[in-house]
Amino acid sequence: MKTTLEIPDALFRQAKTVSAERGIPLRALVSEALADKLRGRKNSKPWLKMVGELRDLRQETAKIDRIIEEEFEQVEPEDWQ
């Protein structure tokens, strides 16, 4: 499909240079860059994947939280003085 895009002059010159260096038409470079960008949307938050992988630690975290809560609920007699 044909379309018209407005891009800054400096970006256009960079794209032309890169496409010439790679020996591919500008339209191929733009298509490739757009496809990469759209593919990257799925992984736009790489940290989120890492956090999702920590899902198994929820039970462990809850256990630690309970232990901490129990320990802080108890007041030692010497702390009352």
Side-chain angles (χ1 to χ4, degrees):
M1 172 165 55
K2 284 188 172 187
T3 190
T4 301
L5 298 173
E6 275 190 45
I7 59 174
D9 291 341
L11 183 58
F12 175 76
R13 286 191 296 275
Q14 274 186 304
K16 285 293 278 185
T17 300
V18 170
S19 67
E21 288 170 351
R22 292 179 54 186
I24 61 173
L26 179 61
R27 68 179 173 275
L29 180 71
V30 171
S31 294
E32 181 183 313
L34 183 58
D36 286 348
K37 185 66 172 177
L38 293 175
R39 203 172 18 256
R41 287 182 70 206
K42 294 175 188 171
N43 300 321
S44 63
K45 297 177 182 173
W47 57 268
L48 193 56
K49 181 181 178 200
M50 180 196 70
V51 171
E53 291 173 358
L54 299 177
R55 192 172 305 139
D56 297 338
L57 295 178
R58 285 184 184 166
Q59 290 178 345
E60 190 67 23
T61 301
K63 180 180 171 184
I64 293 169
D65 287 343
R66 279 193 303 276
I67 292 169
I68 291 171
E69 189 174 317
E70 289 170 7
E71 287 298 317
F72 280 103
E73 283 182 358
Q74 300 174 8
V75 178
E76 301 296 325
E78 61 269 7
D79 291 338
W80 284 100
Q81 297 177 2

